[in-house]
């Protein structure tokens, strides 16, 4: 049985952190209704823009990666009727996920107090850069901002140039880890709401998550004056005898970890009496990794994006290939006998507005026509 | 305050020969559940959890900051030499779910026999041809493609600080654990560190699939770079539509050059752009740069150290770092109806 069967999620999630939290809930069996509008669509539709011909907003690869298995509804929150319908939908939902700029939900009269008044069992997952409170609550960030302000960049860098490093725009690491935790927190809150009849406001700060990912360094820096100014040590690591990348004969990089003396002895046996770099330079990386693994040493070829899409055994369940050759996000875990099924590709803007409002709110053709006339359900982007 | 997982009992079964990188993920998942109110019994192998001796070590008593961070709010039980019998006895109690580790055949067999809801934490994807080869947190980063994304193109790939080969797997295991508790009859789950990393690094796969070419680390050719400023460093991060705002912030006419009008051209000429940005940053402090950028909605980030987080006004206002029996400890990164979950120190218990 799917763990979240019967759970309905109203998804205002944008880009990765929000939209992906809802996608993970959907993969576990929840029904996800993504709300956008022509007045404000998920920016991922534009960030991943591939062309300028009509409908370009439905073709962005990163949008498709993150929004499969969702229905798409267009409702303009700037319109009173749009806001009223959201509150009606909330009555039949268990979860609302949002990562708007702070203040947007309040401005629309859709904050936790309003949602709770409509449905006391509702769980609102509010994901934001700095959290819902505090002097910096309105500050903006992108993922790599938080590499810096969360503390990880100070611990990341080559030993010789003194420069902290960030994960960069093609990773935005702090954005990516948010949903891994947020989805679990939402499930805990939903279980609690079922037991108690009371929902919850989950105020989730992405910056706090970024700092949590180096929690032990905060504990250590607070207790040990010697750790107040961290040194960046490249790939080396405290407590590890040797850890670095080696350039191999085929030009590829090999990552190795010699944990302790035992590993060093095993290593010495493998490489005989040449230097580490000489040995690597005489081997192809995959073959070298196998030799070292056989000797009990942790070693792996540094994989890149092309490896990930070519090597399906490596990708495991983390990517899902569609019948038309399309590629979307898979799952970070697997449940025995419950493979991920992509039942829907990512929705076109407003693709399921009519069917969803009919089914969930009982609207008829006349009511839908009126909404269209008022512009409440418009699915034409107003601005780019 | 009541906690969402009050009344739930979860076992963290630490295997006898588990690689450190897997243990960090197991303990992270169980820690989150424990801080949320679950009664978590951490069953250590005879000889104890190896993380007890793992750096960073605290100067006061030589104990491990890493162990303290990962084992808040739990009860630890060291299993005796006859581990299997002790495990069997413990599993006879009321257990809602268990976390266990690949290679722990005793735990796997006993949990399956009793059909207890469970999450296995492993290293490699099951689909790999050699799923039991030795693994470290660093080689997880290599296999997940994340190593390839950080650093300079000409130099060796660079790991992110901390234990990022393990913690995404830990968060995924926590969410899989919650899914186990959400309904009866949910099939057992398996999390591998490599898959969790691959999943986190999805933009590498998406980019490769869309462009036929993998995005990779491009250091000084990247649009986002870290540069020195008067009192440290700042990460120059901004949206693809914000270049004009950045030019206005810096106020240097050279950035208004028509050569920089389109994004592809800006990427090509990124060195020229940074030649203007660097001197501007060099004469200003982190606080000055951050305030001026935020004033225009530009998300530049100042590089702060873990120590500086302790005095950060936002972190203080939200009570992110709490005092736990004399240690400063980050709480779970969520406020639940306005309140944080204060972690408590690990309780050491005797084996039953």
């Amino acid at each position: 049985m799917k763990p979240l069967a019967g759970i309905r999620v109203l998804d205002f999630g944008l880009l990765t952190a929000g939209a992906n939290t809802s996608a993970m809930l959907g993969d576990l069996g929840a029904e996800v209704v993504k709300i956008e509008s022509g007045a404000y669509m998920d920016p991922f539709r534009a960030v991943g823009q591939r062309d300028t011909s009509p409908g370009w907003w439905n073709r962005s690869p990163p949008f498709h990666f993150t929004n499969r298995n969702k229905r798409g509804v267009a409702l303009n929150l700037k319109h009173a009727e749009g806001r009223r319908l959201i509150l009606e939908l909330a009555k039949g939902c268990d979860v609302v996920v949002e990562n708007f700029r702070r203040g947007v939900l309040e401005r629309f009269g859709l904050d936790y107090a309003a949602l709770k008044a409509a449905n006391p069992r509702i769980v609102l997952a509010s994901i934001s850069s700095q959290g819902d409170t505090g002097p910096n609550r309105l500050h903006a960030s992108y993922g790599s901002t938080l590499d810096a302000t969360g503390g990880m960049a100070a611990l990341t860098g080559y030993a010789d140039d003194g420069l902290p490093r960030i994960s960069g725009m093609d990773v935005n690491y702090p954005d990516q880890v948010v949903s891994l935790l947020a989805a679990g927190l939402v499930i805990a809150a939903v279980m609690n709401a079922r037991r108690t009849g009371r929902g919850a406001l989950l105020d989730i700060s992405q910056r706090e998550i970024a700092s949590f990912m180096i929690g032990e360094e905060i504990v250590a820096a607070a207790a040990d004056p010697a750790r107040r100014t961290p040194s960046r040590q490249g790939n080396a690591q405290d407590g590890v005898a040797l850890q670095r990348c080696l350039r191999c004969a085929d030009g590829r990089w090999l990552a190795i970890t010699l944990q302790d003396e035992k590993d060093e002895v095993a290593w010495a046996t493998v490489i005989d009496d040449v230097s580490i770099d000489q040995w690597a330079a005489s081997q192809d990386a995959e073959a070298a990794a196998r030799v070292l693994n056989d000797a009990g040493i942790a070693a792996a070829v540094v994989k890149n994006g092309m490896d990930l899409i070519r090597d399906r055994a490596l990708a495991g369940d983390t990517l899902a290939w569609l019948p038309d050759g399309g590629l979307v996000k898979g799952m970070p875990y697997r449940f025995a006998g419950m493979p991920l099924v992509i039942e829907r590709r990512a929705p076109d803007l407003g693709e399921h507005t009519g069917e969803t409002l009919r089914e969930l709110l009982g609207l008829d053709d006349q009511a839908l026509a009126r909404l269209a006339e008022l512009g409440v359900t418009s699915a034409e982007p107003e601005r780019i | 305050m009541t906690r969402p997982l009050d009344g739930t009992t979860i076992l963290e079964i630490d295997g006898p020969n588990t690689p450190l990188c897997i243990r960090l993920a197991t303990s992270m998942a169980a820690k989150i559940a424990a801080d949320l109110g679950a009664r978590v019994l951490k069953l250590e192998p005879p000889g104890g959890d190896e993380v007890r001796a793992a750096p960073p070590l605290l100067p006061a008593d030589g104990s491990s900051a890493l162990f303290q961070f990962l084992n808040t709010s739990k009860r630890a039980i060291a299993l005796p030499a006859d581990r299997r019998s002790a495990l069997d006895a413990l599993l006879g109690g009321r257990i809602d779910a268990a976390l266990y580790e690949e290679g722990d055949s005793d735990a796997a067999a006993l949990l399956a026999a009793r059909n207890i809801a469970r999450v296995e934490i492993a290293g490699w994807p099951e689909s790999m041809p050699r799923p039991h080869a030795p693994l470290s947190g660093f080689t997880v980063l290599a296999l997940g493609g994340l190593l390839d994304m950080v650093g300079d193109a000409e130099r060796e790939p660079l790991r992110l600080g901390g234990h990022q080969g393990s913690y995404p797997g830990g968060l995924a295991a926590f969410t899989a654990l919650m899914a186990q508790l959400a309904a009866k009859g949910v099939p057992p789950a398996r999390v591998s560190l490599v898959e969790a990393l691959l999943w986190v690094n999805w933009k590498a796969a998406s980019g490769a699939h869309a462009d036929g070419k993998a995005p990779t680390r491009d250091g000084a050719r990247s649009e986002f770079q870290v540069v020195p400023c008067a009192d440290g460093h700042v990460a120059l991060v901004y949206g693809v539509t914000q270049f004009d705002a950045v030019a206005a912030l810096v106020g240097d006419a050279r950035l208004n050059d028509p050569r920089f009008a389109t994004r592809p051209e800006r990427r090509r000429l990124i060195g020229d752009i940074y030649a203007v940005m660097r001197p501007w940053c060099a004469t200003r402090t982190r606080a000055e740069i951050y305030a001026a950028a935020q004033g225009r909605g530009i998300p530049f980030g100042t590089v702060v150290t873990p120590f500086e987080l302790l005095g950060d006004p936002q972190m203080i206002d939200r009570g992110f770092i709490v005092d736990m029996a004399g240690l400063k400890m980050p709480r779970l990164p969520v406020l639940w109806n306005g309140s944080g979950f204060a972690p408590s120190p690990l309780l050491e218990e005797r084996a039953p």
Side-chain angles (χ1 to χ4, degrees), chain A residues 102-371:
Chain A
R102 292 307 81 190
V104 169
L105 272 197
E106 286 107 311
R107 210 155 56 238
F108 288 139
L110 295 171
D111 61 2
Y112 180 59
L115 293 168
K116 189 180 165 186
N119 177 358
R121 290 170 61 249
I122 203 94
V123 171
L124 172 61
S126 265
I127 300 167
S128 60
S129 169
Q130 302 273 342
D132 224 8
T133 60
N136 297 356
R137 71 185 286 267
L138 297 178
H139 287 189
S141 69
Y142 288 165
S144 283
T145 310
L146 303 173
D147 280 290
T149 61
M152 196 179 294
L155 305 169
T156 302
Y158 296 105
D160 56 3
D161 65 7
L163 198 61
R165 301 292 180 136
I166 53 178
S167 61
M169 67 167 57
D170 291 319
V171 179
N172 281 334
Y173 182 76
D175 276 349
Q176 308 310 330
V177 292
V178 168
S179 49
L180 284 176
L181 175 62
L185 293 174
V186 167
I187 299 170
V190 168
M191 289 189 289
N192 200 53
R194 279 186 190 152
R195 265 197 312 276
T196 63
R198 288 192 303 274
L201 168 61
L202 311 189
D203 167 9
I204 297 170
S205 155
Q206 293 192 220
R207 184 172 174 219
E208 288 176 6
I209 293 181
S211 297
F212 187 74
M213 299 301 272
I214 52 156
E216 68 279 359
E217 296 287 346
I218 297 172
V219 177
D224 185 352
R227 297 186 75 93
R228 286 183 185 175
T229 307
S231 64
R232 288 170 284 278
Q233 39 182 339
N235 288 320
Q237 198 162 354
D238 284 351
V240 175
L242 186 140
Q243 185 165 270
R244 53 172 290 201
C245 295
L246 306 171
R247 178 80 92 162
C248 290
D250 53 3
R252 300 210 61 165
W253 290 97
L254 179 71
I256 59 160
T257 302
L258 303 184
Q259 190 67 43
D260 49 24
E261 212 171 282
K262 181 174 71 66
D263 281 354
E264 288 183 300
V265 170
W267 169 258
T269 315
V270 171
I271 68 168
D272 209 359
D273 57 357
V274 296
S275 78
I276 287 181
D277 294 291
Q278 283 172 331
W279 180 81
S282 68
Q283 312 277 322
D284 282 351
E286 288 289 356
R290 272 196 300 277
V291 168
L292 294 172
N293 286 166
D294 286 344
I297 293 168
V301 179
V302 176
K303 302 288 187 180
N304 62 38
M306 290 309 287
D307 297 320
L308 306 194
I309 61 171
R310 282 178 184 145
D311 186 346
R312 296 200 184 189
L314 172 67
D317 279 4
T318 64
L319 295 173
W321 295 86
L322 305 181
D324 66 0
L327 184 64
V328 298
K329 199 178 271 197
M331 294 203 295
Y333 29 58
R334 59 177 80 191
F335 291 78
M338 201 181 86
L340 175 65
V341 179
I342 304 296
E343 285 161 6
R344 299 173 184 275
R345 59 167 178 72
D348 290 351
L349 187 57
E351 181 176 348
H352 307 103
T353 304
E355 77 169 56
T356 307
L357 297 182
R358 270 194 195 91
E359 183 189 318
L360 301 184
L361 299 181
L363 299 194
D364 57 19
D365 288 350
Q366 197 184 346
L368 289 170
R370 188 174 149 267
L371 290 173

Side-chain angles (χ1 to χ4, degrees), chain B residues 254 270-279:
Chain B
R254 287 174 292 171
I270 198 71
D272 295 356
I273 289 171
Y274 271 87
V276 178
M277 311 266 271
R278 282 173 181 282

Side-chain angles (χ1 to χ4, degrees), chain B residues 332-344:
Chain B
L332 287 185
V334 60
L335 294 180
W336 203 283
N337 295 327
S339 300
F341 299 104
S344 54

Side-chain angles (χ1 to χ4, degrees), chain A residues 1 3 16 20 24 44 50 65 130-136 139-142 145 148-152 154-158 160 162-165 169-173 176-177 179-181 184-185 187 189 191-192 194-195 200-204 207-209 211-213 215-216 218-224 227-228 230 234-238 243-245 253 255-257 290 293-294 296-306 308-309 313-314 316-318 325 327 329-336, chain B residues 4 28 31-32 36 55-56 58-59 65-66 69 125-128 130 133-136 138-139 142-143 145-146 148-149 151-152 155-164 167-168 171-172 174-176 178-183 185-191 195 198-200 202-206 208-215 217 223-224 226 233 235 237-239 242 263 290 294 299-307 309-310 312 314-315 317-318 320-321 328-337:
Chain A
M1 146 152 199
T16 308
N20 210 45
M24 287 179 69
F44 244 175
R50 309 294 292 178
F65 243 76
Q130 302 273 342
D132 224 8
T133 60
N136 297 356
H139 287 189
S141 69
Y142 288 165
T145 310
T149 61
M152 196 179 294
L155 305 169
T156 302
Y158 296 105
D160 56 3
L163 198 61
R165 301 292 180 136
M169 67 167 57
D170 291 319
V171 179
N172 281 334
Y173 182 76
Q176 308 310 330
V177 292
S179 49
L180 284 176
L181 175 62
L185 293 174
I187 299 170
M191 289 189 289
N192 200 53
R194 279 186 190 152
R195 265 197 312 276
L201 168 61
L202 311 189
D203 167 9
I204 297 170
R207 184 172 174 219
E208 288 176 6
I209 293 181
S211 297
F212 187 74
M213 299 301 272
E216 68 279 359
I218 297 172
V219 177
D224 185 352
R227 297 186 75 93
R228 286 183 185 175
N235 288 320
Q237 198 162 354
D238 284 351
Q243 185 165 270
R244 53 172 290 201
C245 295
W253 290 97
I256 59 160
T257 302
R290 272 196 300 277
N293 286 166
D294 286 344
I297 293 168
V301 179
V302 176
K303 302 288 187 180
N304 62 38
M306 290 309 287
L308 306 194
I309 61 171
L314 172 67
D317 279 4
T318 64
L327 184 64
K329 199 178 271 197
M331 294 203 295
Y333 29 58
R334 59 177 80 191
F335 291 78
Chain B
M28 169 62 92
K31 164 210 170 71
I32 299 167
L36 289 172
L58 298 170
L66 181 61
F69 172 62
E126 256 175 335
S127 43
M128 287 293 276
R130 292 158 62 89
L135 202 61
S136 68
F138 184 55
T139 59
L143 290 160
L146 199 59
D148 184 64
M149 304 298 284
D152 292 337
R155 302 189 67 181
E156 77 173 280
L158 195 57
R159 74 182 181 94
L160 294 174
H163 292 285
Q164 310 315 322
Y167 289 173
L171 302 186
F174 162 72
T175 289
M178 292 304 100
Q180 292 290 323
L181 297 174
V186 175
R190 180 182 192 272
V191 175
E195 279 171 295
L198 288 162
W199 186 91
V200 159
W202 66 274
K203 284 189 180 182
S206 171
H209 188 252
D211 301 332
K213 183 170 156 291
R217 64 189 180 285
E223 286 172 281
F224 294 176
V226 178
H233 293 89
V237 172
Y238 52 94
Q242 285 185 309
R263 187 169 176 224
Y290 184 76
Q294 285 292 338
F300 288 177
T302 49
V303 175
V304 302
T305 64
F307 182 72
L309 291 172
L310 297 165
D312 183 278
Q314 178 70 7
M315 295 299 193
D317 190 88
R318 288 174 58 82
F320 178 59
I321 296 166
K328 298 288 184 200
M329 183 68 67
R331 59 156 169 73
L332 287 185
V334 60
L335 294 180
W336 203 283
N337 295 327

Side-chain angles (χ1 to χ4, degrees), chain B residues 2-27:
Chain B
T2 59
R3 299 181 180 222
L5 298 182
D6 281 342
T8 307
T9 299
I10 290 163
L11 293 187
E12 172 191 333
I13 307 176
D14 295 346
N17 299 306
T18 305
L20 188 82
C21 58
I22 293 178
R23 174 63 40 75
L24 301 185
T26 312
S27 291

